Amino acid sequence: MHIFVVENHADTLKWLSLYLEDLGHTVSSARSMHDALEALPSAECEVLISDIGLPDGDGWELLRRAELPHPVFAIAMSGFGMNADRGKSKAAGFRHHLLKPFQPDELETVLDEAAAELAAS
Amino acid sequence: MSDPADTGSRPARLDKQNAIDRERHEVGQALHDTVCQSLGGIAILVKLLARRVKSGRTIEVEELDELACMTDRALGEARALSRKLLPVQLESAGLMSALEELATETARTTPCVFVCETPVFVGDAPTALALYRTAEEAVRRLLDSTSKTAITIKLSERDGEPAVRVIADR
């Protein structure tokens, strides 16, 4: 799958991208909401993984404002996992809300779901 | 006799509660922004390296060095948070070093010095912590005000009792 990752923490972005590539995915990325909004319209991604806390906005606003050429399977990452945070993610259109620090296996399970959905569509 | 916890005016109690809530929020935010981020990166890197080893591929020494570096950073972030939660160590000279550290930390954004002309040793840890929290709150209030130019944190002894003053040099 083509996955677009939005994460401002340099180490997390670097290793998450390498990990996803190791799983066989193609990865594009951005480190801020502004950069993501610029890149997403032409990124042709199928999955969006976005941190909720970004330096110039948040993942919820990003997903609402992103001009995506087609629907994506969106996954939120956040250090905050209160019901209100999860509710906001759901309302913004995220399919899952992963609580940081999450185990990579959790992400793999969610990506399997995304792959199954894409294959069925 | 009234319960000490019930003493103080309602505005004072609200002030204290607001300060506690603000502190909790800051610690939570700092945990999210530092330790959680670093641990997240470490978890992914470890998983990536494990996948490579399991499939018979090699891993680079530089990657292990980076893992060590990220772990050190996470430890440093955790220690910094621990110091914020429990700034005054139990030894009697702890208040002096904690106030000195508060001044150093404050000086990152606003000129701030710690003055202690004669060493003040506080053997009672709760008293030391209470004095530290009072100084910390006073510094925070001064930082929130717009007219300060520099801050002095002064520790002294009056009538055998430790006293902390936070002074704004305007």
Side-chain angles (χ1 to χ4, degrees):
Chain A
M1 293 186 289
H2 184 175
I3 302 176
F4 196 98
V5 181
V6 190
E7 168 63 79
N8 65 303
H9 190 262
D11 285 338
T12 305
L13 177 59
K14 177 181 172 182
W15 296 112
L16 181 56
S17 299
L18 282 173
Y19 178 68
L20 292 170
E21 283 169 2
D22 205 64
L23 292 176
H25 302 295
T26 303
V27 180
S28 308
S29 64
R31 291 189 62 183
S32 67
M33 187 174 76
H34 175 265
D35 290 351
L37 286 172
E38 273 202 352
L40 276 169
S42 58
E44 291 296 328
C45 65
E46 294 151 315
V47 175
L48 170 69
I49 302 175
S50 178
D51 193 8
I52 291 301
L54 295 169
D56 55 349
D58 58 55
W60 302 313
E61 186 185 351
L62 168 67
L63 192 53
R64 276 192 291 265
R65 288 178 54 189
E67 291 167 7
L68 296 159
H70 52 76
V72 298
F73 191 99
I75 303 161
M77 306 182 286
S78 173
F80 299 108
M82 304 280 281
N83 282 341
D85 302 308
R86 293 179 187 279
K88 274 184 171 180
S89 290
K90 196 175 174 188
F94 285 100
R95 299 289 298 277
H96 290 273
H97 181 106
L98 296 179
L99 186 60
K100 283 184 173 181
F102 56 84
Q103 284 297 315
D105 290 344
E106 288 178 63
L107 180 59
E108 274 189 65
T109 304
V110 171
L111 289 175
D112 286 345
E113 185 187 322
E117 209 168 278
L118 281 167
S121 67
Chain B
M1 204 167 85
S2 65
D3 182 345
D6 287 338
T7 60
S9 65
R10 188 164 182 273
R13 286 201 306 273
L14 280 175
D15 263 7
K16 188 177 172 187
Q17 189 56 50
N18 287 340
I20 291 168
D21 289 345
R22 193 168 53 225
E23 183 95 4
R24 282 181 178 163
H25 178 80
E26 282 176 11
V27 170
Q29 189 69 48
L31 261 174
H32 170 263
D33 293 345
T34 59
V35 181
C36 281
Q37 295 278 12
S38 296
L39 289 178
I42 289 168
I44 294 163
L45 174 53
V46 168
K47 183 75 179 181
L48 175 65
L49 297 181
R51 275 179 59 85
R52 287 190 189 160
V53 171
K54 275 181 196 165
S55 60
R57 288 176 285 166
T58 56
I59 55 176
E60 305 295 327
V61 173
E62 289 78 12
E63 289 171 328
L64 290 175
D65 282 343
E66 187 142 3
L67 178 59
C69 189
M70 287 166 70
T71 307
D72 281 348
R73 196 179 312 143
L75 276 172
E77 290 163 351
R79 280 197 195 102
L81 269 173
S82 161
R83 273 201 305 274
K84 188 171 172 60
L85 287 170
L86 191 63
V88 183
Q89 298 304 309
L90 293 179
E91 68 268 24
S92 62
L95 181 59
M96 284 188 287
S97 54
L99 290 174
E100 191 167 15
E101 198 163 321
L102 175 62
T104 305
E105 190 62 31
T106 306
R108 288 176 193 267
T109 56
T110 302
C112 183
V113 291
F114 171 60
V115 175
C116 181
E117 286 160 1
T118 311
V120 177
F121 298 100
V122 183
D124 176 37
T127 301
L129 186 58
L131 286 166
Y132 178 85
R133 291 296 185 206
T134 303
E136 188 182 43
E137 184 59 20
V139 167
R140 195 199 308 272
R141 282 171 189 270
L142 286 177
L143 290 176
D144 287 344
S145 74
T146 52
S147 56
K148 89 282 171 184
T149 55
I151 296 171
T152 300
I153 302 171
K154 194 168 185 177
L155 176 64
S156 58
E157 220 166 36
R158 282 188 211 157
D159 304 324
E161 294 293 324
V164 177
R165 289 174 68 206
V166 177
I167 306 150
D169 305 320
R170 297 175 201 278

